[in-house]
Amino acid sequence: MRFDIFLKQSNTTGIAEELLAVSDPDSPRYGHHLTQSEVNRRFAPPSESRDAVESWINTTGLTLQTYSEAVGAFTVQIPLAKANTLLNANYTPYIHVPTNTTLWRTLSYSIPAEIEAHTEFIYPTTQFIGPPTRKIVTSVMKRGSATYMSKRTALSSNCTDSISPQCLRALYNIPLGTSTVANNSLAVSGFGGEVANITDLETFLQAQTGAGASNVTLHVQSVDDGANEGQGTPEASLDTQYTIGLATDVNTTFVTVGPNNEDGVQGFLDVINLLMDQGPLPLVLTTSFEFDESAFGSAQDLALTLCHAYGLMGTRGTSVLFASGDGGVSGVQSDNSCEGKPFVPTFPASCPYVTAVGSTQGSNPEVAAPFSAGGFSNLFPVPQYQEASVSAYLSKFQNNYTDLYNQSGRAYPDVSTQGVNFQIRVAGAWQSVSGTSASSPTFAAMVALVNDRLLASERKPLGFLNPLLYRPNATSVFNDITEGNNPGCGTDGFTALEGWDPVTGLGTPDFTKLLNFVEASLPVVQSAASA
């Protein structure tokens, strides 16, 4: 069985400080992202901790697989019987009912005091976290119903019924064109055997009016024996078809996470390790899988470790995006079993170092999608960059359930885009899908296109977005969503109001306004080769 031994971090408070220093446009160090060696030097655990734990691993006869500088963790293989002896544990199978997954866990464990002094925690031990969740709503489209099945179709008349890349370009003023720089990049992470089929991708792009894809290329990186083979699946198809369909010719990589980990949490860690321990990072990373934050109630140290790692990616210049979830205030998926109980935030969307993306629907007016997950974290405090926006919302929101959410927590989502009735090509057929997993790839593509313009003028990429997006003068960039709500837990949830709200965030972006704002507002920092 696989175990991850996490070392005590030496400078976790410095992560937030460094991230803000390179991400706040008012900082003299804005855009001066760190190199891989600088991150390791400043934030890796002390060498004596690594030496002590590695020595213990070797003397106990464990099989050491890897050590990750990114999260400061050893990965080892231990037979369960030996784990019970070595960790003074009693591993027992438990069933995670929502996913019918078997988890081997122990109710307690211990390690020698001289090793405990160097370790934060070992995973999995007493943490009960199921696989990440993502179940987008799908429907098979009748022949001829997809707006891009005929190149002569008048798309503008159909965007009220279904969404294609052309609709998004029209709604958000996204230009039709191709990437102009070789060092621009975007990554999509997928879990649970998701497949981004290249034939489906080619058909999708070829069927669009003016798709403009001169080179239909999807790079694939495998984590934990992931394989991008066989028929396409909805989530991977959606994520890759809309990132590539909008951010044409931007180098796009599908990171596929396979079954060679004990659960999805280790898969998330392995994606971070893969990307952080390699050379250049992708400039944008979008993920449409998440957890209910409540799953980390007894594993807050694990949630902090993941969040800190995303912060480190930000210090190196990566914009980390997550779909906010599809359960309104009830979490990742709609679930009224929380009726009368506190609202359920989602994670990693609640991490203050990522940009969480919610969903809207319709136009004239564009309104909140009712499934758009949003709220307030119970693990992370409200970050400084959004304090004013959140305070303004709370002063206006009238409700009778203030005891159901943490008013001082990190608030999300940060932004939104359309998320209903996206047309995709899956296993040789057209489907219509809905969810915030449609919104995050859409916004990721827009960020990648802004990066393209910045890199073309030899400027630095955007990196961590939130300090920029929450600037008071950035409101003109967004279409403010003031209608709709996100029900759940037997309530109407939160209401979309003027300004930021926990349903649609700051609103939906206008690409042209966003690009103009970035070019006018950010200091000119010359780009250099990524490290």
Side-chain angles (χ1 to χ4, degrees):
M1 181 170 170
R2 168 184 162 176
F3 291 83
D4 294 296
I5 305 171
F6 291 84
L7 306 184
K8 288 187 181 297
Q9 299 292 310
S10 59
N11 188 20
T12 54
T13 57
I15 295 175
E17 295 171 357
E18 184 63 34
L19 182 60
L20 192 62
V22 299
S23 306
D24 183 349
D26 291 332
S27 167
R29 294 186 52 225
Y30 176 82
H32 293 280
H33 302 122
L34 303 183
T35 64
Q36 179 181 9
S37 60
E38 287 173 333
V39 166
N40 293 341
R41 185 171 66 252
R42 296 187 191 187
F43 302 108
S47 57
E48 55 267 27
S49 293
R50 176 174 178 176
D51 293 342
V53 174
E54 186 169 10
S55 176
W56 176 67
I57 290 172
N58 292 332
T59 57
T60 52
L62 304 182
T63 303
L64 173 60
Q65 289 187 311
T66 60
Y67 175 75
S68 170
E69 293 278 3
V71 296
F74 288 99
T75 297
V76 298
Q77 287 288 337
I78 315 176
L80 274 179
K82 187 167 185 175
N84 284 332
T85 301
L86 186 66
L87 303 178
N88 192 25
N90 181 24
Y91 277 89
T92 304
Y94 294 85
I95 301 297
H96 183 254
V97 176
T99 58
N100 195 32
T101 302
T102 299
L103 305 175
W104 286 86
R105 297 294 186 268
T106 180
L107 299 181
S108 64
Y109 76 101
S110 64
I111 55 178
E114 63 272 18
I115 301 304
E116 185 177 6
H118 296 286
T119 60
E120 198 72 53
F121 60 95
I122 297 177
Y123 183 84
T125 49
T126 59
Q127 312 92 342
F128 289 81
I129 305 170
T133 304
R134 171 51 54 196
K135 187 177 181 181
I136 54 178
V137 177
T138 65
S139 61
V140 177
M141 304 187 74
K142 295 180 180 179
R143 182 174 179 84
S145 63
T147 60
Y148 46 68
M149 292 188 72
S150 168
K151 290 187 177 181
R152 293 182 295 275
T153 301
L155 293 173
S156 59
S157 65
N158 294 316
C159 291
T160 55
D161 301 318
S162 58
I163 294 294
S164 67
Q166 296 95 311
C167 294
L168 295 171
R169 290 192 184 100
L171 284 167
Y172 300 136
N173 288 322
I174 304 171
L176 177 62
T178 60
S179 174
T180 59
V181 292
N183 59 335
N184 195 7
S185 58
L186 185 158
V188 174
S189 58
F191 300 80
E194 286 284 333
V195 175
N197 182 275
I198 190 65
T199 301
D200 286 340
L201 174 61
E202 290 173 343
T203 302
F204 177 85
L205 295 174
Q206 291 166 1
Q208 295 180 71
T209 300
S214 58
N215 294 295
V216 182
T217 301
L218 176 64
H219 306 286
V220 177
Q221 281 188 291
S222 173
V223 178
D224 299 334
D225 295 332
N228 190 50
E229 300 174 351
Q231 288 192 334
T233 54
E235 185 60 64
S237 300
L238 169 64
D239 291 3
T240 55
Q241 288 170 17
Y242 276 81
T243 49
I244 296 176
L246 290 171
T248 308
D249 283 351
V250 171
N251 292 313
T252 301
T253 299
F254 178 55
V255 183
T256 172
V257 181
N260 191 22
N261 59 77
E262 298 302 325
D263 58 29
V265 176
Q266 289 181 329
F268 273 59
L269 289 166
D270 292 343
V271 171
I272 295 170
N273 293 340
L274 170 76
L275 298 178
M276 285 288 284
D277 289 344
Q278 67 183 20
L281 282 171
L283 298 183
V284 184
L285 172 65
T286 177
T287 304
S288 295
F289 294 78
E290 55 272 318
F291 305 86
D292 286 339
E293 191 187 72
S294 55
F296 292 82
S298 61
Q300 295 186 21
D301 46 7
L302 181 55
L304 289 172
T305 296
L306 279 166
C307 188
H308 287 153
Y310 293 128
L312 291 177
M313 293 185 73
T315 66
R316 288 184 58 189
T318 296
S319 303
V320 182
L321 278 57
F322 275 90
S324 69
D326 296 345
V329 296
S330 65
V332 174
Q333 300 291 337
S334 180
D335 182 1
N336 276 324
S337 65
C338 56
E339 184 171 354
K341 302 176 183 178
F343 294 162
V344 184
T346 61
F347 177 81
S350 63
C351 169
Y353 307 146
V354 310
T355 300
V357 188
S359 285
T360 59
Q361 61 183 354
S363 60
N364 297 319
E366 188 174 16
V367 302
F371 56 76
S372 184
F376 300 82
S377 172
N378 293 316
L379 296 181
F380 304 97
V382 60
Q384 183 179 7
Y385 61 73
Q386 66 170 187
E387 281 181 344
S389 298
V390 173
S391 177
Y393 177 82
L394 292 174
S395 69
K396 295 179 291 186
F397 179 52
Q398 303 296 318
N399 67 89
N400 297 316
Y401 37 83
T402 55
D403 58 333
L404 299 182
Y405 62 95
N406 176 23
Q407 296 187 50
S408 61
R410 145 71 164 151
Y412 73 101
D414 300 298
V415 298
S416 290
T417 74
Q418 291 278 317
V420 176
N421 293 336
F422 274 50
Q423 302 163 28
I424 61 174
R425 184 76 173 179
V426 184
W430 298 107
Q431 290 188 11
S432 177
V433 299
S434 300
T436 55
S437 56
S439 304
S440 189
T442 297
F443 187 59
M446 296 173 72
V447 175
L449 289 174
V450 172
N451 280 339
D452 200 74
R453 305 304 193 272
L454 293 174
L455 294 170
S457 59
E458 298 185 347
R459 297 173 68 176
K460 288 296 186 79
L462 290 171
F464 178 47
L465 299 167
N466 296 3
L468 170 69
L469 299 179
Y470 280 91
R471 288 171 68 87
N473 60 340
T475 55
S476 62
V477 168
F478 298 97
N479 172 38
D480 193 4
I481 308 301
T482 58
E483 294 185 33
N485 60 297
N486 56 355
C489 299
T491 74
D492 291 332
F494 297 106
T495 302
L497 298 175
E498 183 179 351
W500 177 91
D501 58 69
V503 189
T504 62
L506 295 164
T508 57
D510 180 293
F511 176 83
T512 301
K513 292 179 180 179
L514 175 61
L515 178 62
N516 291 340
F517 172 73
V518 166
E519 291 182 330
S521 302
L522 298 187
V524 177
V525 181
Q526 296 300 310
S527 179
S530 300

